[in-house]
C-alpha cells in the first residue's frame, strides 16, 4: 500500500484498503472557515446538538478578516456564538491569518493525520505528510456530528521533480510549469505524491506552495514524504506523537510523471485558466494595474522576502498598485522584524491585515473591469478576484514584485542581486 | 431510483469553475432562492433565463473544478436542474452534489451528442444517458450502491437526521 492508503486504513480501522473502495474514516482535525456559516445551519438541520470533539474542530476567520460588510459581520457573529456554545479549544478569529498557515503554526498539523477543511486548498498539508482534503458544508456538518467521513480510496499519481532551481525562479514557477504540462483536469479525484531530488531537500514554505496548487489539477490530496526540515519545524510547534507511514516497495502508481527543473524559467498562467501556462519570455508586453502578494499560496515570509529584495530602495510604477497581505500575524511580525514591510511600504506597497484578501474577490483590493492583475495567489478563473471583465496572471512572488516595479509583466531575473533570491 | 427525464441545457466548455458557477462576490449568501439568482453568472449572464425546472445540464470536462463552496451545487439545484451530465467533474463539487442530492452522471463525450432542448433520460444505476430526440444512447460511469442510496434519500442530510433520531 501507499503511505496515503495506510493513513486511510488506520483511520478506518482496517488492515488494507484498495483503490476505489469507499471507507468511513475518523478525522483528526476538522477546520471550518468563515465562508461556511452554512455548516452550522446544516449541523442543526441534521439534528446535531454538540460537536463530537471540542479539541478536534476549529474555526478560522480568514476569507472575511476583518468583516467587509454587515452580512459578513453577521456570519462571524453567529460562528463565534457556536464556538462559545461548544467551547471549542482552538479558535482563530480575524486577528490570526489564513487557515493553511495558522493551523500548522499552532502545532495542529503533523504527519499521518487526516485533516479535513471547508477549503479546496487543504491539499497544502501534504507538505507535512498529512492527508489533507477539502469538503463542502454538508460533509463538514457530518464530521462535526460524527467525527467521521466517507472517502473513496483514490488512485495515486507520482510526480517526480528533479534538479535545482536557478536564482529568481521559485516553487510557484515549478507548480505552474507542471500544471501547464499536465492540465487542470490531470488528476481529478486522484491523489498526488510529489517526490524527486528537488522535493527531498525543499524548505517548508516551498513544499506548501507545491502541495497547495495540487488541487488546481483536480487532486483530492497531495503527499510528500516528510523531510528533516519538516520534522524540525513540527518539533518547534508541538510535542504530539505521530506515525510516518512508508509506501511499500511493491506499490504501483496509477501514473508517473517526471520533470527536470534545472533550466526552468519564471512561468505565468495567463487568463483565464490555471493550466494556460507560458514562460515569461514568451509573452508580449502586458500592462499591470494591480499586483498581489498574499493568500495561502504566496503570503509566507519567504514570499514577502523575495518581493522586498527586488523592491528595496525602489519605487513601484505609479500606474500600478501593489497589495501585500501576509498569510498570518506571525508572518507579519517576522516581516516587520526583518525590515521587509518597511522596504515594501517605502516602495509604494499597500499593506492589509492577514487573511485571504482579494484572492477570491471578497475585499482588500478587488479588480475592476478591464484591469490586469498579476498575483502570487492561486486562481485566474474569470471573476475570481473581482470583475469578470478583469484579467488575472498567476506568477511567483518575485515575478509579481518585479512586475509591480515596472508596471508590466517583468522577468524577476532582471533584478537579481547576488544569488540570494 | 427511476429514470430522470428532462430537456438539455448545453454548456460545452471545459474547466467551468465554481467561480463561474457561483462567483465569489456572492459567497456570503445562504438563502437558496437568492443563491439561485446567480446561477452560472460567471460563465454566461443569460443562463438564468434559459433554465426551466426539470432541465438537465450537459457539460464538458472538469465541470465544477475549483473551490469547495457548496453554493455551486445549491445554485444549480435551486435554479431547477434535475441532474447534471458531464465528461468529468471536480471532486469537491461532486461530493457536494451527492451530499445535497443533485444527481450527477459522468459520461465522457455525451455533450457532443446533444443540442439544447433535446429530450434526455438518465439512468443512474446503469450509468446510462439517452438522447430521445436523437435516438442515441451513451454509457457513462455506473454509480455505486453507496452513492445511489444517498441520491435515493434526497441527500445526506435526511440520512444523518434519521440516523441520529434512531439512536
Amino acid at each position: 500500500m501507499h503511505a496515503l492508503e495506510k493513513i486511510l486504513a488506520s483511520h478506518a480501522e482496517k488492515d488494507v484498503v484498495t483503490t476505489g473502495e469507499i471507507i468511513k474514516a475518523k478525522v483528526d482535525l476538522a477546520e471550518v472557515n468563515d465562508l461556511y456559516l452554512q455548516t452550522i445551519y446544516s449541523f442543526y438541520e441534521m439534528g446535531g446538538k454538540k460537536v463530537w470533539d471540542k479539541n478536534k474542530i476549529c474555526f478560522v476567520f480568514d476569507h472575511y478578516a476583518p468583516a467587509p460588510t454587515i452580512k459578513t459581520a453577521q456570519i462571524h457573529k453567529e460562528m463565534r456564538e457556536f464556538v462559545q456554545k461548544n467551547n471549542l479549544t482552538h479558535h482563530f478569529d480575524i486577528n490570526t491569518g489564513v487557515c493553511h498557515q495558522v493551523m500548522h503554526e499552532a502545532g495542529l498539523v503533523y504527519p499521518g493525520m487526516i485533516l479535513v477543511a471547508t477549503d479546496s486548498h487543504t491539499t497544502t498539508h501534504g507538505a507535512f505528510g498529512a492527508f489533507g482534503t477539502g469538503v463542502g458544508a454538508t460533509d463538514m456538518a457530518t464530521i462535526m456530528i460524527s467525527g467521521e467521513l466517507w472517502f473513496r480510496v483514490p488512485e495515486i499519481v507520482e510526480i517526480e521533480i528533479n534538479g535545482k532551481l536557478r536564482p529568481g525562479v521559485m516553487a510557484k514557477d515549478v507548480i505552474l510549469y507542471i500544471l501547464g504540462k499536465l492540465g487542470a483536469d490531470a488528476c481529478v479525484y486522484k491523489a498526488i505524491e510529489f517526490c524527486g531530488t528537488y522535493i527531498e531537500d525543499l524548505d517548508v514554505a516551498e513544499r506548501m506552495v507545491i502541495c497547495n496548487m495540487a488541487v488546481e489539477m483536480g487532486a483530492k490530496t497531495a503527499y510528500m514524504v516528510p523531510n528533516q526540515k519538516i520534522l524540525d519545524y513540527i518539533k518547534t510547534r508541538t510535542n504530539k506523537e505521530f506515525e510516518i507511514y512508508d509506501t511499500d516497495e511493491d506499490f504501483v502508481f496509477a501514473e508517473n510523471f517526471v520533470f527536470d527543473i534545472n533550466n526552468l524559467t519564471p512561468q505565468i498562467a495567463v487568463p483565464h485558466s490555471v493550466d494556460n501556462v507560458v514562460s515569461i519570455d514568451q509573452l508580449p508586453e502586458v500592462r499591470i494595474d494591480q499586483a498581489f502578494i498574499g493568500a495561502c499560496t504566496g503570503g509566507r515570509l519567504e514570499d514577502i522576502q523575495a518581493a522586498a529584495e527586488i523592491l528595496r530602495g525602489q519605487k513601484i510604477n505609479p500606474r500600478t498598485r501593489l497589495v501585500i497581505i501576509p498569510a498570518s500575524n506571525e508572518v507579519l511580525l517576522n516581516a516587520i522584524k526583518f525590515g521587509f514591510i518597511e522596504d515594501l511600504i517605502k516602495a509604494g506597497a499597500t499593506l492589509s491585515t492577514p487573511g485571504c484578501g482579494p484572492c477570491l474577490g471578497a475585499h482588500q483590493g478587488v479588480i475592476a473591469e478591464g484591469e490586469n492583475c498579476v498575483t502570487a495567489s492561486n486562481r485566474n478563473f474569470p471573476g475570481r478576484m473581482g470583475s469578470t471583465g478583469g484579467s488575472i496572471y498567476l506568477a511567483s512572488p518575485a515575478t509579481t514584485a518585479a512586475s509591480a516595479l515596472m508596471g508590466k509583466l517583468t522577468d524577476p531575473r532582471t533584478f537579481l542581486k547576488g544569488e540570494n533570491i | 431510483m427511476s429514470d430522470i427525464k428532462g430537456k438539455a441545457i448545453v454548456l460545452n466548455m471545459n474547466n467551468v469553475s465554481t467561480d463561474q458557477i457561483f462567483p465569489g462576490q456572492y459567497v456570503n449568501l445562504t438563502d437558496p432562492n437568492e443563491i439561485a439568482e446567480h446561477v452560472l453568472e460567471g460563465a454566461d449572464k443569460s443562463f438564468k433565463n434559459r433554465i426551466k425546472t426539470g432541465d438537465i445540464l450537459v457539460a464538458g470536462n472538469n465541470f465544477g473544478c475549483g473551490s469547495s463552496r457548496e453554493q455551486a451545487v445549491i445554485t444549480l439545484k435551486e435554479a431547477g436542474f434535475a441532474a447534471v451530465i458531464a465528461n468529468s467533474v471536480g471532486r469537491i463539487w461532486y461530493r457536494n452534489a451527492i451530499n445535497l442530492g443533485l444527481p450527477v452522471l459522468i459520461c465522457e463525450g455525451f455533450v457532443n451528442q446533444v443540442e439544447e432542448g433535446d429530450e434526455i433520460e438518465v439512468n443512474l444505476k446503469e450509468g446510462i444517458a439517452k438522447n430521445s430526440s436523437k435516438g442515441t444512447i451513451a454509457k457513462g460511469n455506473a454509480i455505486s450502491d453507496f452513492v445511489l442510496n444517498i441520491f435515493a434519500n434526497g441527500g445526506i442530510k435526511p440520512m444523518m437526521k434519521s440516523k441520529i433520531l434512531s439512536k
Side-chain angles (χ1 to χ4, degrees):
Chain A
M1 285 195 291
H2 189 274
L4 285 170
E5 295 176 322
K6 291 181 184 176
I7 295 173
L8 286 175
S10 71
H11 287 75
E13 289 165 9
K14 290 172 85 98
D15 295 328
V16 180
V17 297
T18 51
T19 305
E21 182 182 353
I22 288 174
I23 56 154
K24 247 189 192 173
K26 289 196 163 56
V27 173
D28 295 305
L29 181 67
E31 183 264 326
V32 186
N33 67 44
D34 54 351
L35 294 181
Y36 283 88
L37 175 61
Q38 181 62 49
T39 306
I40 296 178
Y41 293 169
S42 301
F43 175 83
Y44 288 126
E45 252 180 77
M46 289 187 207
K49 300 250 168 357
K50 280 257 175 190
V51 299
W52 102 99
D53 187 335
K54 70 186 180 75
N55 298 312
K56 292 187 175 176
I57 171 150
C58 62
F59 284 15
V60 182
F61 294 176
D62 51 4
H63 287 70
Y64 296 127
T69 62
I70 295 167
K71 176 104 187 156
T72 51
Q74 180 65 27
I75 290 174
H76 285 170
K77 180 170 173 255
E78 291 183 39
M79 290 183 81
R80 274 188 204 104
E81 283 164 3
F82 188 86
V83 168
Q84 282 158 12
K85 199 172 163 194
N86 285 274
N87 197 22
L88 300 186
T89 310
H90 307 285
H91 175 61
F92 302 89
D93 215 292
I94 61 161
N95 58 346
T96 51
V98 182
C99 60
H100 304 307
Q101 183 68 12
V102 297
M103 287 191 289
H104 67 78
E105 285 179 356
L108 298 176
V109 183
Y110 52 88
M113 76 183 300
I114 294 183
L115 194 171
V116 182
T118 53
D119 193 278
S120 55
H121 291 102
T122 312
T123 54
T124 307
H125 307 280
F128 298 90
F131 187 110
T133 195
V135 297
T138 307
D139 270 334
M140 183 50 73
T142 306
I143 298 171
M144 280 162 61
I145 291 169
S146 67
E148 296 180 330
L149 191 64
W150 66 270
F151 292 99
R152 180 183 165 277
V153 179
E155 290 82 6
I156 304 173
V157 175
E158 182 183 48
I159 299 182
E160 184 180 330
I161 312 171
N162 296 317
K164 197 167 182 288
L165 288 178
R166 294 192 167 184
V169 187
M170 302 180 75
K172 179 68 173 293
D173 297 305
V174 174
I175 192 64
L176 286 177
Y177 176 71
I178 293 172
L179 260 161
K181 291 290 173 210
L182 299 184
D185 61 352
C187 297
V188 171
Y189 232 113
K190 295 172 185 168
I192 301 173
E193 175 171 352
F194 293 101
C195 61
T197 56
Y198 171 67
I199 300 296
E200 282 160 20
D201 194 42
L202 202 57
D203 293 336
V204 175
E206 292 163 298
R207 286 166 67 100
M208 293 180 75
V209 174
I210 305 272
C211 289
N212 175 277
M213 292 204 56
V215 75
E216 308 309 336
M217 285 181 265
K220 171 188 193 123
T221 192
Y223 187 78
M224 291 178 178
V225 175
N227 63 7
Q228 197 54 46
K229 288 172 178 171
I230 283 287
L231 297 175
D232 290 346
Y233 176 83
I234 293 170
K235 212 181 284 174
T236 65
R237 304 285 165 167
T238 177
N239 296 320
K240 191 166 172 68
E241 305 240 323
F242 51 79
E243 185 168 352
I244 298 174
Y245 296 93
D246 293 321
T247 296
D248 295 333
E249 298 233 331
D250 61 354
F251 178 78
V252 182
F253 287 93
E255 284 172 282
N256 305 72
F257 301 99
V258 183
F259 294 94
D260 181 316
I261 50 144
N262 279 309
N263 296 312
L264 190 70
T265 53
Q267 305 286 304
I268 305 265
V270 302
H272 295 286
S273 179
V274 285
D275 58 0
N276 208 358
V277 177
V278 293
S279 174
I280 192 157
D281 45 29
Q282 302 294 309
L283 282 173
E285 186 169 314
V286 177
R287 183 198 79 246
I288 291 299
D289 301 295
Q290 178 168 300
F292 172 51
I293 293 173
C296 59
T297 314
R300 298 195 173 81
L301 189 64
E302 292 79 353
D303 305 318
I304 293 168
Q305 178 178 7
E309 282 171 359
I310 287 168
L311 294 172
R312 187 171 297 132
Q314 309 279 335
K315 286 275 181 217
I316 60 168
N317 189 289
R319 294 190 320 265
T320 306
R321 294 103 58 188
L322 170 60
V323 176
I324 305 277
I325 304 188
S328 71
N329 264 4
E330 182 179 314
V331 171
L332 173 58
L333 284 171
N334 280 324
I336 292 170
K337 188 168 89 185
F338 293 117
F340 304 149
I341 294 297
E342 186 174 340
D343 293 335
L344 292 167
I345 289 178
K346 282 183 174 167
T350 304
L351 181 72
S352 241
T353 53
C356 305
C359 173
L360 77 157
H363 65 152
Q364 291 175 321
V366 296
I367 60 170
E369 170 122 26
E371 287 195 321
N372 295 332
C373 179
V374 61
T375 177
S377 59
N378 47 51
R379 288 190 175 135
N380 62 350
F381 305 133
R384 170 76 180 175
M385 295 182 72
S387 167
T388 49
S391 294
I392 303 167
Y393 296 80
L394 303 180
S396 77
T399 301
T400 304
S403 303
L405 182 59
M406 301 307 288
K408 59 186 181 186
L409 280 183
T410 301
D411 189 332
R413 295 175 299 175
T414 322
F415 304 100
L416 286 182
K417 296 168 191 132
E419 298 238 330
N420 56 353
I421 290 182
Chain B
M1 255 180 106
S2 56
D3 288 5
I4 301 161
K5 294 179 188 175
K7 279 194 164 57
I9 301 265
V10 180
L11 184 64
N12 198 355
M13 291 161 67
N14 295 331
N15 303 321
V16 172
S17 71
T18 56
D19 281 291
Q20 288 161 285
I21 300 171
F22 191 76
Q25 60 183 297
Y26 308 119
V27 287
N28 59 4
L29 298 180
T30 48
D31 175 5
N33 293 323
E34 283 180 53
I35 290 170
E37 285 298 309
H38 304 286
V39 62
L40 282 157
E41 201 173 285
D44 181 349
K45 284 213 160 139
S46 71
F47 225 95
K48 176 91 185 55
N49 305 324
R50 283 158 59 187
I51 307 167
K52 289 198 177 60
T53 302
D55 284 350
I56 293 174
L57 180 64
V58 186
N61 297 339
N62 204 18
F63 179 79
C65 61
S67 94
S68 57
R69 67 189 66 156
E70 214 160 79
Q71 292 106 326
V73 171
I74 297 169
T75 191
L76 296 168
K77 211 180 160 189
E78 295 298 323
F81 285 115
V84 176
I85 304 173
N87 289 347
S88 62
V89 296
R91 172 193 154 263
I92 304 176
W93 180 86
Y94 185 51
R95 280 193 77 105
N96 289 340
I98 293 168
N99 286 336
L100 294 172
L102 173 68
V104 178
L105 179 71
I106 297 167
C107 187
E108 180 80 43
F110 189 66
V111 68
N112 300 323
Q113 310 169 16
V114 180
E115 281 178 277
E116 185 105 355
D118 282 356
E119 291 286 348
I120 307 297
E121 284 180 44
V122 186
N123 182 316
L124 289 174
K125 192 170 170 59
E126 304 296 326
I128 287 170
K130 200 192 284 183
N131 184 339
S132 310
S133 303
K134 303 254 185 310
T136 56
I137 289 180
K139 179 90 178 79
N141 296 2
I143 286 168
S144 71
D145 288 343
F146 179 87
V147 172
L148 207 60
N149 187 37
I150 299 176
F151 284 143
N153 279 282
I156 211 133
K157 283 182 192 172
M159 287 176 76
M160 278 297 284
K161 206 169 178 174
S162 59
K163 207 170 136 188
I164 288 171
L165 287 175
S166 68
K167 271 189 185 167

